[in-house]
Amino acid sequence: MREPRTLYWKGGSLYLLDQRLLPHRERYVRCRGYRDVARAIREMIVRGAPAIGVAAAYGVVLACKSSGSKKTGLETRVMEAAEEIKSTRPTAVNLFWAVDRMVRLAKEAKERGLDVYETLLHEANRMAEADIEANRRIGEYGKGLVPDGATVMTYCNAGGLATVGYGTAIGVIRAAFEEGKKILVLVPETRPKLQGARLTAYELKRIGIPYKIITDNMAAMLMSRGEVSCIVVGADRVLARTGHVVNKIGTLGLAISAKYFGVPFYVAAPLSSFDFEKRPEDVKIEERDEREVLTFAGKSIAPNGSKAVNLAFDITPPDLVSAVITEYGVYEPSGLMMLEKYAPLDTE
Ligand code: MRU
């Protein structure tokens, strides 16, 4: 079955597949200006670290376009857009990496007398292509870790929808499947936004990889019964200095259970999701609206007036991570700084 594109650029606008409506409706949202992109990221029309990064890059292109051919004010406009886009979601590092890169390029292009809009658009297109290429390479490096006949657990959605295409964790599973391995994927539903049940299941169904959805609280029991061969998840931010992995809330619990029951726990992430500076205590963990927890499929599930905690991400320490799969190979969490030399574009 055809795979829908997470995002595409056409006629001077960015189109984003509205992930809030999946799996039941496939509708694209047209972003004509950078504010549309900022709103789309905030409201999770587009989500998943690499997809957020590339959408944000196109957002900066749009900011530049709306300043017209007049050169005056362009820099201010790009800076304003960059700040607004960066304020949308604090945890996935790809957002900051992509926007900072675009701002720097805009300044350079202006200094060199180049067409800023064309330069930025070219770069955003390049980032989009590079993301798919990185994911394919992650798949190639990671597929050997998935045995034939494996039951693989993933988490949240780290597939084509969380990237420009192919996926990171799902890319690994997919590459193993495309090699002819028999695989069953266990898909935790991933409360409260249900990225697993809605998005990962949708993708796996389209690709044709067998899967079963589980509630999040079944994971440890399945591991205890020896029914999970390995776990592969994505990352919103890999802290290369310490080897900690920031990912969807619930990842930490899976990693603790995996360690206890001897299940290999792999993280698949491109270098655009790496942070070579920060330590765990410096990472801002997004806290979202409590209504996401207090409702299910739009219906209230708790007594009126209940309060809720809604942390969107957690941090898994390196001793729980068996390996990190990147587009440059498979690394131990203690050896991630070796990758700094490949860092595509450093953040400010
Ligand atoms: O809140 P989301 O849906 O943006 O969170 C997504 C995740 O946590 C993914 O696991 C992560 O971004 C990796 S995507 C390849």
Side-chain angles (χ1 to χ4, degrees):
M1 220 188 283
R2 171 190 70 89
E3 278 173 61
R5 290 152 76 181
T6 307
L7 53 83
Y8 62 91
W9 178 266
K10 195 176 164 199
S13 294
L14 176 67
Y15 290 81
L16 299 169
L17 181 60
D18 190 342
Q19 300 197 26
R20 298 170 306 178
L21 306 179
L22 292 174
H24 301 305
R25 277 184 69 196
E26 287 173 12
R27 197 192 71 180
Y28 283 86
V29 170
R30 180 176 181 182
C31 300
R32 292 181 169 85
Y34 75 84
R35 290 212 162 92
D36 298 335
V37 178
R39 185 180 70 89
I41 296 172
R42 193 175 282 115
E43 294 180 9
M44 295 176 70
I45 289 170
V46 62
R47 34 66 52 200
I52 289 173
V54 175
Y58 282 112
V60 180
V61 177
L62 288 170
C64 178
K65 178 186 154 216
S66 44
S67 67
S69 54
K70 270 173 67 190
K71 291 274 187 304
T72 45
L74 184 138
E75 210 164 322
T76 318
R77 198 173 181 92
V78 165
M79 290 308 293
E80 273 172 17
E83 288 316 308
E84 185 166 336
I85 295 168
K86 287 202 286 186
S87 73
T88 52
R89 295 190 74 188
T91 307
V93 75
N94 306 59
L95 174 65
F96 305 93
W97 167 79
V99 171
D100 290 344
R101 166 76 184 158
M102 297 300 272
V103 168
R104 204 159 42 239
L105 260 184
K107 283 182 187 154
E108 280 170 21
K110 199 173 173 216
E111 275 161 25
R112 292 167 58 195
L114 301 174
D115 184 323
V116 180
Y117 172 76
E118 287 301 330
T119 307
L120 294 192
L121 180 56
H122 181 266
E123 179 60 16
N125 289 336
R126 201 197 59 80
M127 277 183 190
E129 279 163 32
D131 181 60
I132 299 175
E133 177 57 25
N135 295 338
R136 288 197 178 272
R137 283 167 59 183
I138 288 171
E140 284 305 302
Y141 280 117
K143 66 185 182 185
L145 298 169
V146 179
D148 191 15
T151 298
V152 186
M153 189 179 288
T154 185
Y155 195 57
C156 189
N157 172 262
L161 292 167
T163 63
V164 182
Y166 203 73
T168 57
I170 297 297
V172 169
I173 295 168
R174 189 169 175 171
F177 178 77
E178 285 165 2
E179 218 180 25
K181 288 178 181 166
K182 200 167 164 292
I183 290 167
L184 171 70
V185 185
L186 292 175
V187 181
E189 55 186 355
T190 318
R191 273 280 288 156
K193 300 289 284 181
L194 303 176
Q195 291 95 329
R198 295 190 305 107
L199 308 177
T200 299
Y202 164 86
E203 280 191 34
L204 292 173
K205 184 174 174 195
R206 283 180 165 259
I207 306 167
I209 304 179
Y211 65 90
K212 283 184 180 167
I213 298 170
I214 60 168
T215 58
D216 299 333
N217 47 10
M218 284 180 203
M221 182 61 177
L222 288 167
M223 287 187 234
S224 80
R225 298 208 305 199
E227 291 177 22
V228 183
S229 317
C230 63
I231 300 178
V232 191
V233 300
D236 287 83
R237 196 184 279 250
V238 177
L239 306 183
R241 273 187 193 285
T242 63
H244 288 74
V245 174
V246 185
N247 194 45
K248 180 53 57 195
I249 192 78
T251 304
L252 172 61
L254 287 184
I256 293 170
S257 299
K259 180 83 170 180
Y260 188 82
F261 293 113
V263 177
F265 184 88
Y266 302 117
V267 174
L271 256 64
S272 58
S273 300
F274 272 57
D275 183 333
F276 290 96
E277 303 297 328
K278 286 201 164 73
R279 296 181 172 278
E281 57 275 21
D282 305 322
V283 176
K284 185 159 173 22
I285 297 294
E286 179 181 10
E287 293 188 38
R288 296 185 61 85
D289 194 313
E290 63 178 4
R291 280 174 296 187
E292 291 179 351
V293 173
L294 297 171
T295 55
F296 188 89
K299 285 212 167 68
S300 166
I301 53 169
N304 286 342
S306 297
K307 294 276 159 210
V309 180
N310 190 9
L311 295 181
F313 298 97
D314 58 25
I315 306 181
T316 298
D319 49 320
L320 302 182
V321 177
S322 311
V324 180
I325 308 160
T326 76
E327 67 270 45
Y328 292 97
V330 181
Y331 288 78
E332 286 187 8
S334 58
L336 297 176
M337 282 308 280
M338 279 192 275
L339 287 160
E340 199 177 15
K341 60 176 179 288
Y342 300 122
L345 314 151
D346 44 323
T347 42
E348 276 170 346

